Amino acid sequence: KMAGSSAPWIGSAYLFLQSTCKTIVLPSLYESSQKKPSVFKALKLALADSTGSVNGVDMLKVHCSHPHLIVQLKFCKQENCRRFLQSYREGTLQESLQSHLQLSLAMTRVPLEMELKAGNEHLDNMLKDEDRCLECIYREKPDRLRDEEITELEECLKSLIVHQSINNNMTVKGCPSLNSPSLPCPSQGSSLSPQVTFIFQGQQFANRTLTPDDHQKFAKLVSKKWKQVGRSLQKNCRALRDPVIDNLALEYDREGLYEQAYQLLLRFIQSEGKKATIARLIAALEENGLISLAEELLGLHSNEECS
C-alpha cells in the first residue's frame, strides 16, 4: 500500500495555470500587490470546492513563471487527493476557478488552461488511471514548508471571513491590501458570497431573484446555447443534471429553442426558489460568452468582451 500503517499519506503536485485571453496575464495579476489577494482568494476557494473542505489541499507556494502561474500543492489525505483529481478530471475545478477569478477580479470572463504535474510526470496523460496519479503524487514529497507570503495571505483571508461573520460593518485590521476595491470588504457591506450585490463589467448590481421578464428575455435570446448555460448552472443546481437537460431537448424539440430554453430556466427557478438569482444567471452567461444577453438582462449596452 502507498500509505504505511501509521505514517500519514502526504503527497505533492504542481498546478500550472494560464489564461487563454491575451489581455489577462495571471502572473502579472499575482505580482500586483493590489490584485494578489484577489487571485489568492479565488485559488483558495476553488481548491476548497474541489475537495469539499477548506483544508483539503494546502498551497505551499505560488510561482510566477510567465505566462504560467504555478501553484505547489500539498495533500495530507489520500481521499482529499482523490476528490481533487476527480474534480480536476471532470473540469469542475477549472470551472470553479474561472468563476471565482471572475468574481474576485471583477472581470467579465477569465478563460483558463490547466496542467497538472508531479515530478516529471504529466498527470493529464493518465487521469483515467486515478491510482497511478495518486502514486505519482504520493511519491513526490513536498520539498518546502509553506511560503511566508502564503501564510500571510491565508491569515488575511481568514480574518476577512471571521470579521465578516461577526459583524458586516467591521473592517479588516492590519491587512490594508484586503481593504482595496479589488476585494469585497466587510467595511463596504459586501460579502464573500455575492448575496446582496455582484459586479459585472466593473459595475455593481443588486442581486435580485429572477423575474418573469428575465425569464422571457433569456428564452428569446439565448438560442442554441441554452444547453451550455444549463450545464454552467448545474454546478450548483441538482435539478439541472445532464439527463434532465437532455430530456428537455427531446421533450420540447418540436416547440423549438425558445420553449427549450424557457423550460430549462423554469426548472432552475422552481428548484432554487429565492436562490435563483440574476447573479447566478449572469455568471453562467459570461462563462459561455453570452455577454450581450447578460447586458440585455442588466439594461446595459456596452460591448466590452474578451475575445
Side-chain angles (χ1 to χ4, degrees):
K1 289 284 178 186
M2 281 181 281
S5 54
S6 58
W9 196 98
I10 294 175
S12 180
Y14 287 89
L15 182 63
F16 287 71
L17 305 169
Q18 181 181 356
S19 168
T20 54
C21 176
K22 289 177 185 175
T23 57
I24 301 171
V25 185
L26 290 178
S28 298
L29 289 171
Y30 194 78
E31 285 167 341
S32 154
S33 58
Q34 191 184 9
K35 299 288 186 186
K36 181 176 287 186
S38 303
V39 177
F40 179 80
K41 183 179 84 161
L43 288 169
K44 185 73 179 169
L45 293 176
L47 288 169
D49 288 346
S50 75
T51 59
S53 164
V54 177
N55 303 313
V57 55
D58 197 13
M59 278 188 275
L60 296 182
K61 185 173 175 62
V62 178
H63 306 262
C64 293
S65 176
H66 291 259
H68 292 101
L69 197 65
I70 308 168
V71 187
Q72 186 174 5
L73 304 172
K74 175 187 174 184
F75 300 92
C76 289
K77 286 185 180 176
Q78 187 176 325
E79 55 267 35
N80 287 340
C81 191
R82 214 178 265 282
R83 277 196 288 267
F84 170 85
L85 285 169
Q86 185 181 351
S87 176
Y88 182 85
R89 185 174 65 240
E90 292 173 356
T92 50
L93 173 64
Q94 184 175 359
E95 288 169 3
S96 174
L97 184 52
Q98 285 179 164
S99 175
H100 284 303
L101 282 169
Q102 190 173 304
L103 283 168
S104 291
L105 295 166
M107 289 182 169
T108 50
R109 198 157 163 265
V110 186
L112 293 175
E113 278 183 356
M114 291 183 152
E115 195 178 349
L116 190 63
K117 294 181 183 177
N120 296 321
E121 300 286 355
H122 291 252
L123 302 186
D124 297 71
N125 301 331
M126 57 176 90
L127 287 173
K128 288 181 181 177
D129 189 346
E130 196 173 274
D131 286 336
R132 191 176 161 207
C133 287
L134 284 166
E135 281 174 21
C136 292
I137 291 170
Y138 178 69
R139 237 184 358 247
E140 291 299 316
K141 298 302 179 208
D143 59 357
R144 65 164 64 242
L145 295 171
R146 186 198 285 184
D147 202 67
E148 282 181 17
E149 181 182 66
I150 299 288
T151 304
E152 192 180 310
L153 286 163
E154 290 242 331
E155 289 306 313
C156 284
L157 191 56
K158 277 181 197 166
S159 169
L160 178 70
I161 295 165
V162 170
H163 285 162
Q164 190 111 45
S165 61
I166 295 170
N167 184 342
N168 255 3
N169 297 315
M170 194 178 286
T171 56
V172 183
K173 293 174 183 173
C175 192
S177 59
L178 286 183
N179 283 325
S180 66
S182 63
L183 193 72
C185 275
S187 55
Q188 297 170 317
S190 301
S191 163
L192 272 177
S193 55
Q195 296 299 320
V196 184
T197 60
F198 68 101
I199 292 171
F200 174 78
Q201 293 187 346
Q203 293 185 49
Q204 206 161 23
F205 294 89
N207 188 14
R208 52 181 173 76
T209 305
L210 292 170
T211 65
D213 188 46
D214 297 327
H215 197 163
Q216 288 183 347
K217 279 183 182 174
F218 171 80
K220 185 179 176 183
L221 300 170
V222 72
S223 191
K224 292 178 182 178
K225 283 197 170 181
W226 69 270
K227 273 188 174 184
Q228 287 160 261
V229 175
R231 291 197 175 98
S232 293
L233 289 171
Q234 79 180 189
K235 284 177 283 180
N236 301 307
C237 178
R238 291 183 179 278
L240 292 181
R241 294 301 180 213
D242 282 338
V244 175
I245 294 173
D246 293 337
N247 286 341
L248 287 175
L250 290 170
E251 196 176 337
Y252 296 96
D253 183 41
R254 288 186 179 180
E255 285 87 344
L257 293 171
Y258 175 92
E259 193 60 32
Q260 289 169 329
Y262 188 90
Q263 292 296 330
L264 173 88
L265 204 59
L266 182 62
R267 296 289 193 285
F268 178 66
I269 292 166
Q270 287 173 339
S271 162
E272 299 296 295
K274 288 181 180 178
K275 291 181 182 175
T277 61
I278 188 74
R280 290 173 71 181
L281 181 57
I282 295 297
L285 294 174
E286 285 185 299
E287 199 169 287
N288 293 286
L290 295 165
I291 304 301
S292 59
L293 175 49
E295 290 170 349
E296 182 69 32
L297 291 175
L298 294 172
L300 293 174
H301 301 284
S302 164
N303 290 315
E304 286 178 39
E305 185 176 347
C306 181
S307 55

